[in-house]
Amino acid sequence: GFVYKSLHIAKRQTFALKLLRGALTVESPSQRQVLEKLRIAETLDHPSIARTYPVESAEDLSIVPLEFVYGRNASEKIAEGASTADCTLRVALRAAEALHCAHAANAVHGRLTSNNLFFCSDDTIKLVDFGFDVIPEEILFSDPDTSPSLDVFATLQRPPLSRFAYQAPEQTRGEPASKRSDLFSLGVILYELLAGEFLFEGTDREELYRQIQSRELPKISEVHPGIGMSWARILRALLEKKPGDRYPSAQALLEDLRKLN
């Protein structure tokens, strides 16, 4: 869907508004699933998770108000070059804490990418877009000409097809996202921050999926000299192709990350 920046006049507060086509209804199984996921997202209360507010309806639209995040996304930082191990560790700790909070509430992100992990001006990070991993095509505005606005500003996303470039191998095979899928996606982001380059790029989704399913990644020590073996073990455990071979939980990941701190 499309996301708009909006000012709530009475509250004098800025929001991001995600607009969906039509009023969401529990009569449709797929739309009921969306509503359930968004209601879970509303309950998430963590400093590194952008807030989701109750769905509203107006005429033939469903409106999902979201916390407006001031900052830049991780894809911009990755494009600038390799990050330090200390910077990446701070991101890893906060993101893992956020995922631990979400997973404890039974909320799986399902589409975590470098475009929805934000670096904020107060040196915090924010994960955005919880609750939007499964959106039926019939409620999306896929064409700018059909969007409820006369002016649509599109920005280049890095990497191309970024929505798909961070999916776990099981997601590329059509399996539903799980908590371990989120950990794989976070692993890709952390690897990219340390390497200063994107892992899975291309203009063809099938080629991206082949890379994700079968490509063996270079050892992080080869692309970022000086990175210790502990980092290498953590990334390897995050980026295992089989879900059962990855970290069992964000809590287990946190335990290893805190040993690096």
Side-chain angles (χ1 to χ4, degrees), residues 184-196:
F184 180 93
S185 301
L186 176 59
V188 175
I189 296 171
L190 297 178
Y191 187 106
E192 291 178 337
L193 284 168
L194 288 170

Side-chain angles (χ1 to χ4, degrees), residues 75-91:
S75 64
E76 296 175 83
K77 188 164 181 60
I78 293 163
E80 292 175 354
S83 298
T84 65
D86 286 345
C87 172
T88 306
L89 178 58
R90 288 196 298 273
V91 174

Side-chain angles (χ1 to χ4, degrees), residues 191 197 199 215-223:
Y191 187 106
E197 58 186 28
L199 287 183
R215 179 184 166 201
E216 292 299 325
L217 300 180
K219 293 180 180 178
I220 191 62
S221 58
E222 295 175 1
V223 295

Side-chain angles (χ1 to χ4, degrees), residues 201-212:
E201 292 192 271
T203 56
D204 181 272
R205 192 193 309 185
E206 290 184 4
E207 171 57 28
L208 275 179
Y209 284 176
R210 282 193 292 271
Q211 291 180 36
I212 293 169

